[in-house]
C-alpha cells in the first residue's frame, strides 16, 4: 500500500472550507479499494498566522513541507492585510521557493454549466493555459525611491531569462503534444515589449524544432482575448508569461461558467520539490464561513494532484464524479445560480465515488 503525504494549507477565507472538502473527497477515493492511502498534514498559515506571528508562514516553513508528495492549497488574501504581503509571504514563497515554474490551468465547460458564450457549443472550449510561474512580471524586481515626495518613483521590472523561457516553452510544447489536437498558441506582446518578448518569440521558434508534430502559432495577448471569445475552438494549449496568463486564465474561467470551478497546478516538472494544487478562486471574504463556497475548483485540483502523483485511474474516477454532479442543477452553488451548499456538493461527490 502506497502512502502519499499531502500538505494541506487552507489559507484564508473560503480556503478553510474547500480544502477540508477536498481532503474528504480524496479520503473517500483512497478508501474505495485503491492501492494507496493519504497522510494529510495541515498547516494553519495565512492571515491568522500573520496576526499572531507577524508573518504569513514560519521562516522554516518550506522545510516542513519539502518532503511531502504534494501540496493542496486553498487561497491567500485577507481584507485587513495588504494583498502584496499575503501573496508574497505565502503562495509565491512556495511557488518560487520550490521552483514550481509551470502553472497549468485547464478550462472546459463541464456538463450542466451555463457558460456565457452562446455562439459556441460546450466542446468548442477545451483549453489548457500554461503560465510561466517563476519570473516575468512577478519576478519581484523593482523598487521605490523618494517615497512620499512629488518626485516619487516606482518600478516593477519584468525579468525573462533564456533558461526560464526555454523550460516553460519545452513544457508547453510537450503538454500540447500529449493532447489530441497537438496544437499550441504562443501568446506574446513583442510588438510593444521589444526586448523580453522578442526573446520569448525567438525561443519559441527554437524549441518548436524539437516538436515537429505540434502545430503552433503566435498570438498577441490583446488579440488573444478576442479570439477566446470569438473563436474558442481555434485554441487548444496556450503558453504565456506570468501576468499575461494570469489575466487570460480569469477570462477563460469566466467563459467556462465560473471562477468557482477552475483548478490549477503549480508544477515542478523535474520533481525536485512537491508541486502545489489549488482552486483558482480567491479567498472570497463576502461568503466565507457560510458554507456557500463552490468546492468543485478544489475537487478538480485534486484530479490534477492525482494525475501528478501517477494515479490516472483515480483521477479519472474523480473527474467523472465531478461531471455527474455539475450536470445536476440541484447541486449548483450560488456562483452557478444554484442554492446548494459546500457540504451538499461534497457529499454528492463522495456518494458517486462510493457507487462506482
Ligand atoms: C492567480 C491569482 C493570484 C495571481 C493572486 C491571488 C495574486 O490571481 O493565481 O491567478 O495573480 O497570481
Ligand atoms: Mg489570477
Amino acid at each position: 500500500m502506497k502512502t502519499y503525504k499531502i500538505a494541506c494549507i487552507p489559507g484564508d477565507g473560503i480556503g478553510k472550507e474547500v480544502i477540508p472538502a477536498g481532503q474528504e473527497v480524496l479520503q473517500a477515493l483512497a478508501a474505495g479499494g485503491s492501492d494507496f492511502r493519504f497522510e494529510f498534514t495541515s498547516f494553519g498559515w495565512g492571515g491568522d498566522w500573520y496576526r499572531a506571528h507577524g508573518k504569513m508562514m514560519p521562516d522554516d516553513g518550506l522545510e516542513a513541507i519539502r518532503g511531502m508528495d504534494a501540496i493542496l492549497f486553498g487561497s491567500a488574501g485577507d481584507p485587513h492585510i495588504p494583498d502584496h504581503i499575503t501573496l508574497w509571504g505565502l503562495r509565491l514563497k512556495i511557488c518560487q521557493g520550490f521552483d514550481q515554474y509551470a502553472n497549468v490551468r485547464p478550462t472546459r465547460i463541464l456538463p450542466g454549466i451555463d457558460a456565457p458564450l452562446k455562439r459556441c457549443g460546450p466542446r468548442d472550449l477545451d483549453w489548457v493555459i500554461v503560465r510561466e510561474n517563476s519570473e516575468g512580471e512577478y519576478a519581484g524586481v523593482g523598487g521605490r525611491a523618494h517615497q512620499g515626495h512629488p518626485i516619487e518613483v516606482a518600478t516593477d521590472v519584468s525579468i525573462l531569462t533564456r533558461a526560464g523561457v526555454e523550460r516553460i516553452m519545452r513544457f508547453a510544447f510537450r503538454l500540447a503534444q500529449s493532447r489530441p489536437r497537438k496544437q499550441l498558441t504562443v501568446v506574446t506582446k513583442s510588438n510593444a515589449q521589444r526586448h523580453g518578448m522578442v526573446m520569448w518569440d525567438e525561443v519559441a521558434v527554437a524549441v518548436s524544432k524539437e516538436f515537429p508534430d505540434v502545430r503552433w502559432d503566435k498570438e498577441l495577448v490583446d488579440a488573444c482575448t478576442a479570439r477566446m471569445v470569438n473563436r474558442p475552438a481555434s485554441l487548444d494549449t496556450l503558453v504565456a508569461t506570468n501576468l499575461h496568463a494570469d489575466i487570460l486564465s480569469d477570462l477563460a474561467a469566466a467563459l467556462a461558467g465560473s471562477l468557482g470551478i477552475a483548478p490549477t497546478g503549480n508544477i515542478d516538472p523535474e520533481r525536485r520539490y512537491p508541486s502545489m494544487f489549488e482552486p483558482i478562486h480567491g479567498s472570497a471574504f463576502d461568503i466565507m464561513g457560510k458554507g456557500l463556497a463552490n468546492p468543485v475548483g478544489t475537487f478538480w485540483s485534486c484530479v490534477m494532484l492525482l494525475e501528478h502523483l501517477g494515479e490516472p485511474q483515480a483521477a479519472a474516477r474523480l473527474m467523472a464524479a465531478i461531471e455527474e454532479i455539475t450536470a445536476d442543477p440541484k447541486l449548483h452553488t450560488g456562483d452557478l445560480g444554484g442554492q446548494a451548499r459546500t457540504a451538499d456538493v461534497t457529499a454528492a461527490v463522495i456518494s458517486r465515488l462510493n457507487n462506482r
Side-chain angles (χ1 to χ4, degrees):
M1 174 83 75
K2 280 171 283 182
T3 300
Y4 294 121
K5 288 184 284 171
I6 310 293
C8 293
I9 308 176
D12 305 320
I14 59 170
K16 292 181 185 148
E17 295 161 62
V18 291
I19 294 309
Q23 276 176 253
E24 271 182 63
V25 161
L26 285 175
Q27 205 68 280
L29 201 60
S34 304
D35 61 349
F36 58 83
R37 57 189 286 276
F38 291 107
E39 197 179 284
F40 296 108
T41 312
S42 286
F43 298 86
W45 303 336
D48 294 337
W49 189 277
Y50 183 87
R51 272 180 283 276
H53 305 279
K55 44 186 84 156
M56 293 288 289
M57 69 189 282
D59 291 336
D60 58 357
L62 288 185
E63 287 313 310
I65 54 177
R66 184 186 295 267
M68 301 282 176
D69 294 301
I71 305 162
L72 189 59
F73 187 85
S75 78
D78 186 303
H80 307 294
I81 308 171
D83 283 340
H84 64 274
I85 291 182
T86 53
L87 177 66
W88 284 92
L90 184 55
R91 190 173 159 275
L92 281 186
K93 214 163 157 178
I94 298 172
C95 290
Q96 298 190 351
F98 287 165
D99 203 17
Q100 296 163 341
Y101 66 83
N103 181 259
V104 180
R105 302 187 162 195
T107 317
R108 274 193 294 125
I109 302 176
L110 298 187
I113 302 298
D114 183 26
L117 283 184
K118 298 303 173 205
R119 272 179 288 159
C120 89
R123 289 181 198 289
D124 291 342
L125 198 164
D126 184 354
W127 304 328
V128 182
I129 298 178
V130 175
R131 170 179 180 181
E132 201 297 316
N133 211 32
S134 70
E135 53 178 28
E137 308 86 344
Y138 283 56
V141 174
R144 291 172 70 169
H146 308 299
Q147 279 201 44
H149 297 286
I151 56 167
E152 182 165 356
V153 55
T155 61
D156 278 294
V157 181
S158 171
I159 301 292
L160 287 178
T161 62
R162 180 169 284 276
V165 177
E166 264 176 27
R167 65 184 186 174
I168 198 66
M169 286 295 170
R170 206 163 273 130
F171 180 88
F173 270 99
R174 202 170 286 133
L175 181 69
Q177 192 179 43
S178 76
R179 287 169 53 87
R181 292 169 69 193
K182 299 189 191 305
Q183 187 195 321
L184 178 69
T185 298
V186 175
V187 179
T188 185
K189 192 65 196 176
S190 47
N191 52 352
Q193 295 176 294
R194 59 191 181 147
H195 307 294
M197 294 312 297
V198 173
M199 183 180 77
W200 170 269
D201 292 357
E202 288 167 6
V203 170
V205 172
V207 172
S208 74
K209 307 271 193 274
E210 299 167 22
F211 300 87
D213 56 336
V214 175
R215 266 191 311 137
W216 74 285
D217 63 352
K218 216 167 72 174
E219 188 72 87
L220 295 172
V221 63
D222 48 347
C224 194
T225 60
R227 181 167 162 193
M228 286 164 78
V229 173
N230 293 327
R231 292 185 296 130
S234 74
L235 295 162
D236 186 84
T237 308
L238 299 92
V239 62
T241 64
N242 218 329
L243 182 62
H244 290 168
D246 174 44
I247 298 164
L248 293 182
S249 59
D250 266 29
L251 174 60
L255 290 176
S258 171
L259 247 64
I261 291 177
T264 182
N266 301 281
I267 312 277
D268 166 25
E270 277 82 48
R271 294 173 185 269
R272 299 155 296 172
Y273 304 99
S275 293
M276 178 161 76
F277 301 85
E278 53 172 344
I280 192 175
H281 61 68
S283 44
F285 271 83
D286 51 330
I287 57 161
M288 72 178 268
K290 297 183 180 152
L292 301 175
N294 189 347
V296 169
T298 298
F299 299 160
W300 196 346
S301 301
C302 290
V303 171
M304 297 182 76
L305 179 150
L306 289 161
E307 284 167 350
H308 184 77
L309 291 177
E311 298 292 349
Q313 279 165 357
R317 249 179 90 206
L318 178 53
M319 196 66 217
I322 292 171
E323 296 194 33
E324 276 177 39
I325 61 109
T326 61
D328 180 355
K330 285 195 295 302
L331 292 169
H332 286 181
T333 43
D335 55 312
L336 300 173
Q339 313 227 302
R341 305 178 59 80
T342 314
D344 305 328
V345 183
T346 307
V349 169
I350 291 172
S351 102
R352 298 298 188 289
L353 287 175
N354 291 339
N355 291 333
R356 279 173 182 274

